[in-house]
Amino acid sequence: MSSAQEMLAISPGVLRTAVDSGLVTAEQAQGLRELEQARAQVREAEPHDDEKFRFISGFSDIFVTIGLGLFLGALGYFSGNAVGNAGMFAVIAAASWLLAEYFTRRQRMALPSIVLLLVYAGAVFFTVAEAFNPSLGFGLGLGNHGGLPIVIAGLVTAVATALHYRRFRVPVTIAAGVASLVASAVGVLFMIVPDFAEQAAKPLLLACGLAVFTLAMRFDLSDPQRQTRRTDIAFWLHMLAALLIVHPLISGLVGDGGSDVVSAWSILAIFVGLALVALVVDRRAILVSGLSYAGFAFGALVVKAGLSDSVVPLTMLVLGALVLLLSAGWHALRRAILSLLPGALAHRLPAHT
């Protein structure tokens, strides 16, 4: 077999791993793909619209993650007793970084890398918030000093996650950094208009969600074949965007008056809207994120209805059926929706076939 034929035998997964490990650049990998397309003349259509997401590489990922949870939990307990809350979070942040040096940088384990990054980002945030004002209660309060501790904690966390990404290149890092900036934006709101902040927070979160969705689409459109790290970055950004968009839309339907019937079917209508968007951009992550929040909302409605109103469980049944139907007919439904869009737009969307 010639060297050219051997290059053609390289699978997309191998090329993607080579790009992630730095063996070749994204441009070189794309050049190899274009060479394969030119030599093959006609490339057989593949289900590119499947979201290829690396969550675990084997059971060892789960095993290590359990160990990390036990170790970091115990470390937080003992350090908290010794140096207080701020010191405890600082110790956890430092330990998470050091553990990532082995499990992320050397072993390249997917699930432990995700967990370590999320723990690191959260620990940095709470370290700064607690150090600024210990009376905030783990950095979550907004009362004593307005939103200033949250603003500072969010900005510091954004810088810390940027440094983490430069070192470890974990895709979820971008979403964590963006989430910290959203927290800072909410903190600024509570600083500027504390009396009106509660009412203005929902529109702000919705606007932030739409901005995050736009950023996610930039990553998606820059890698329509979903072969590089950008597609994983977009995955997490879509998850974050869906939560930010769904929360202000649904939270007002639960506990703020109105009948359970209207609330339940309104939640269902929002989910159908998310389903249409998810089909167009080919991101099931949007549905997963939205469905998670919808589940909590339905739970609140069940409690509110005292289990006597059949509308809520009926709507949950419809919601579950919708998820199953989308799963079974995803490709056909997406082709039908794309056929209704302008051709120029449809061909720019990710994984168009």
Side-chain angles (χ1 to χ4, degrees):
M1 180 181 293
S2 67
S3 60
Q5 290 172 322
E6 291 174 351
M7 284 193 295
L8 295 180
I10 299 177
S11 68
V14 172
L15 280 178
R16 182 173 174 177
T17 302
V19 172
D20 290 345
S21 62
L23 293 177
V24 298
T25 66
E27 291 74 17
Q28 290 170 334
Q30 183 61 31
L32 289 174
R33 297 187 194 99
E34 292 173 355
L35 175 63
E36 180 181 5
Q37 291 175 350
R39 291 175 63 89
Q41 297 297 324
V42 178
R43 183 175 181 177
E44 182 179 357
E46 297 178 356
H48 293 298
D49 47 349
D50 287 329
E51 286 183 276
K52 299 174 182 178
F53 173 64
R54 292 172 295 174
F55 191 70
I56 61 173
S57 54
F59 187 76
S60 60
D61 281 33
I62 300 176
F63 188 71
V64 169
T65 301
I66 294 173
L68 291 173
L70 295 173
F71 177 78
L72 292 174
L75 182 64
Y77 174 80
F78 288 113
S79 60
N81 290 336
V83 295
N85 288 334
M88 173 188 69
F89 288 120
V91 169
I92 292 176
S96 299
W97 183 290
L98 293 175
L99 289 168
E101 290 287 348
Y102 179 77
F103 291 108
T104 300
R105 189 170 175 82
R106 293 187 59 182
Q107 296 297 315
R108 299 187 180 279
M109 304 182 77
L111 182 58
S113 297
I114 294 171
V115 171
L116 285 172
L117 177 276
L118 295 177
V119 172
Y120 168 79
V124 170
F125 183 91
F126 288 129
T127 297
V128 177
E130 283 287 320
F132 191 90
N133 183 12
S135 65
L136 282 178
F138 294 101
L140 294 177
L142 289 166
N144 298 340
H145 288 66
L148 184 58
I150 307 303
V151 174
I152 297 175
L155 294 176
V156 172
T157 304
V159 174
T161 52
L163 295 174
H164 193 283
Y165 183 76
R166 184 175 181 180
R167 177 68 174 173
F168 301 109
R169 301 285 179 177
V170 180
V172 68
T173 311
I174 305 299
V178 171
S180 66
L181 293 178
V182 172
S184 291
V186 174
V188 169
L189 179 66
F190 275 82
M191 289 176 58
I192 298 176
V193 285
D195 296 332
F196 186 64
E198 293 287 347
Q199 293 76 19
K202 292 178 182 178
L204 175 62
L205 288 177
L206 180 59
C208 289
L210 295 175
V212 175
F213 176 78
T214 302
L215 179 61
M217 289 305 302
R218 286 180 62 89
F219 280 100
D220 262 340
L221 294 176
S222 67
D223 181 24
Q225 300 303 319
R226 294 183 174 170
Q227 299 293 335
T228 70
R229 186 186 288 112
R230 297 189 195 108
T231 187
D232 289 341
I233 294 174
F235 172 90
W236 290 107
L237 287 172
H238 278 299
M239 290 281 285
L240 175 61
L243 283 176
L244 292 174
I245 292 172
V246 171
H247 172 74
L249 293 177
I250 290 184
S251 59
L253 299 174
V254 181
D256 291 344
S259 68
D260 297 334
V261 175
V262 173
S263 298
W265 290 110
S266 297
I267 293 173
L268 181 59
I270 292 171
F271 187 78
V272 171
L274 284 177
L276 292 175
V277 174
L279 282 167
V280 170
V281 302
D282 193 31
R283 280 295 182 185
R284 295 171 181 84
I286 297 175
L287 288 179
V288 172
S289 187
L291 183 61
S292 301
Y293 193 93
F296 288 108
F298 275 123
L301 288 176
V302 169
V303 174
K304 185 178 177 182
L307 298 178
S308 61
D309 190 351
S310 62
V311 173
V312 173
L314 177 60
T315 310
M316 295 178 67
L317 178 66
V318 174
L319 193 63
L322 178 61
V323 171
L324 295 177
L325 288 174
L326 285 173
S327 177
W330 186 271
H331 302 310
L333 287 171
R334 186 164 191 264
R335 284 193 295 268
I337 292 176
L338 290 180
S339 66
L340 302 176
L341 300 178
L345 174 61
H347 283 277
R348 288 196 61 199
L349 291 171
H352 175 71
T353 55

